[in-house]
Amino acid sequence: MEKLVILGSGIAGLTAAIYAARAELTPLIISGMEEGGQLTQTTEVENFPGFPNGIMGPVLMQNCKKQAERFGTRFVYGVVEKIERIKDGFKLKVGDKEIKTKSVIIATGASARWLGLPSEQKYKGRGVSSCATCDGAFYKNKEVLIIGGGDAAMEEAHFMTKFTDKVTIVHRGSEFRASKIMQERVLENKKIKILWNKTITEFLGDGKKLNAVKLQDTKTNKINEMKCDGVFLAIGHIPNTSFLKGFVDLDEKEYLKADRFMHTSVEGVFAAGDVQDYRYRQAISAAGSGCMAAIEVEKYLREKK
Ligand code: NDP
């Protein structure tokens, strides 16, 4: 039986592994479909402390993996389909394998919601992004669109005005669902324009870089083109928790419920990273919660013994 299995190989899971491995728990990571997590999808990370010149997201993740391996972390490529409680621990189903463990850290992350257009795939990372905090600084004085009408869209639009005064929020409805205070901040900001009742039907460019979008009016169905250099999608995130339903408590948005010590509703099961955090979703906060979860596991196993 394993002492600790960590689900997810993003920065939360790998940080948990570094701490757990150094505490001689010889953790096993089940990497998930996207090895290295969301940071492997970004370009330069400029806000991770300790890298004054920035670091490429994929390089940061490779370094974290090497660091976890250095102290004895083992990796299995795969996805956990089912988790159930057994005597003294848990049983995980990974493909045709079964893994038994005394404790679990769930760090399966959340995935940004995308529009699902073929042209979106083409321009991802070339003008289309799902994270203004990560990529906003690359759009100084550029024309940018923020898609969505929730708090994230308001926050991202406001954030982008640090870099450019050509910010437009494009929303499919005629009113925002964002909190009043966030809406007011946007409506009062002269650098932000709003386009109501519009959705993107196509991303346009020269194949290498985005330079315009096709917008459809949701009331009249009329389509027009709009020039822009960047599009930030802020249409929500989906936590990767579907396999956990019925096993552990989730909140109303299906995020994993955890207390401030990273304990979930099931004893011996801990949480880390975006799977339990819809508010911050930053690399550094995910790493921090991974560290906390690993320290809690060490304490839990020590007390159990
Ligand atoms: P939300 O689910 O609140 O909002 C998503 C927005 O995207 C909605 O306006 C929705 O439109 C729109 N949308 C969804 N799908 C599509 C689509 N296919 N095409 C076009 N538009 C689409 O997500 P957020 O990420 O904004 O917020 C998530 C949670 O995080 C919230 O609880 C929020 O309060 C919180 N948060 C808090 C912050 C803060 O307090 N500082 C900052 C950021 C987030 P429609 O309205 O028509 O459904």
Side-chain angles (χ1 to χ4, degrees):
M1 187 181 258
E2 301 287 342
K3 288 184 207 145
L4 167 63
V5 174
I6 299 168
L7 315 190
S9 56
I11 195 146
L14 286 174
T15 306
I18 293 166
Y19 273 78
R22 291 190 76 248
E24 301 193 330
L25 299 180
T26 52
L28 177 72
I29 285 193
I30 316 288
S31 66
M33 289 296 272
E34 191 181 65
E35 242 190 342
Q38 288 184 68
L39 281 165
T40 58
Q41 303 295 312
T42 57
T43 49
E44 200 169 356
V45 181
E46 290 183 330
N47 53 10
F48 201 86
F51 297 96
N53 302 317
I55 181 165
M56 297 304 280
V59 175
L60 178 63
M61 295 320 296
Q62 278 162 20
N63 288 349
C64 289
K65 187 175 179 193
K66 277 189 209 147
Q67 200 173 348
E69 277 171 335
R70 179 179 153 206
F71 298 111
T73 303
R74 293 153 304 134
F75 291 80
V76 167
Y77 181 77
V79 172
V80 175
E81 288 146 34
K82 201 168 169 219
I83 170 164
E84 58 187 296
R85 214 198 280 250
I86 53 168
K87 191 173 175 289
D88 293 329
F90 307 92
K91 188 167 79 181
L92 312 174
K93 186 175 179 307
V94 186
D96 52 10
K97 276 198 217 70
E98 254 184 26
I99 298 170
K100 289 179 183 164
T101 177
K102 289 182 187 164
S103 67
V104 177
I105 293 178
I106 298 170
T108 46
S111 308
R113 188 177 278 136
W114 296 86
L115 292 171
L117 302 167
S119 53
E120 176 181 62
Q121 202 59 33
K122 192 165 162 190
Y123 290 106
K124 239 186 221 180
R126 299 155 185 252
V128 181
S129 164
S130 61
C131 178
T133 317
C134 323
D135 300 329
F138 301 118
Y139 293 85
K140 284 207 173 87
N141 301 320
K142 302 278 186 190
E143 180 86 53
V144 297
L145 309 183
I146 315 289
I147 316 303
D151 280 336
M154 304 301 117
E155 195 166 75
E156 303 235 309
H158 198 71
F159 177 78
M160 284 310 297
T161 60
K162 280 182 210 263
F163 306 111
T164 172
D165 50 11
K166 291 173 270 185
V167 178
T168 306
I169 297 178
V170 177
H171 182 40
R172 65 181 175 184
S174 46
E175 58 185 64
F176 291 140
R177 70 161 68 197
S179 55
K180 214 162 181 318
I181 184 159
M182 304 278 277
Q183 291 195 34
E184 275 165 10
R185 200 178 295 165
V186 156
L187 296 169
E188 282 164 10
N189 190 328
K190 298 271 182 297
K191 295 178 181 173
I192 303 173
K193 284 193 237 114
I194 297 161
L195 275 180
W196 303 102
N197 306 310
K198 296 270 193 279
T199 52
I200 292 184
T201 55
E202 198 176 343
F203 294 94
L204 304 169
D206 60 7
K208 287 189 189 138
K209 238 181 135 313
L210 177 88
N211 57 30
V213 289
K214 266 190 192 163
L215 293 174
Q216 180 165 38
D217 191 292
T218 53
K219 293 209 156 151
T220 63
N221 289 335
K222 231 181 116 189
I223 292 182
N224 70 301
E225 266 183 44
M226 181 171 177
K227 288 211 172 313
C228 60
D229 304 292
V231 173
F232 292 93
L233 296 166
I235 58 174
H237 279 74
I238 305 165
N240 300 318
T241 54
S242 55
F243 70 106
L244 295 170
K245 278 180 199 157
F247 168 72
V248 62
D249 286 356
L250 306 178
D251 70 12
E252 66 286 354
K253 291 188 168 77
E254 304 200 337
Y255 281 80
L256 184 55
K257 267 192 180 171
D259 67 13
R260 71 190 186 95
F261 301 117
M262 301 297 132
H263 293 230
T264 69
S265 61
V266 176
E267 203 187 290
V269 177
F270 299 81
D274 287 10
V275 72
Q276 52 83 51
D277 167 29
Y278 65 75
R279 197 177 171 96
Y280 301 107
R281 299 194 295 252
Q282 297 302 300
I284 189 67
S285 51
S289 66
C291 152
M292 289 157 71
I295 291 173
E296 290 301 313
V297 167
E298 201 270 326
K299 188 167 174 290
Y300 167 77
L301 293 176
R302 186 167 15 97
E303 282 170 5
K304 229 175 160 229
K305 223 197 238 168

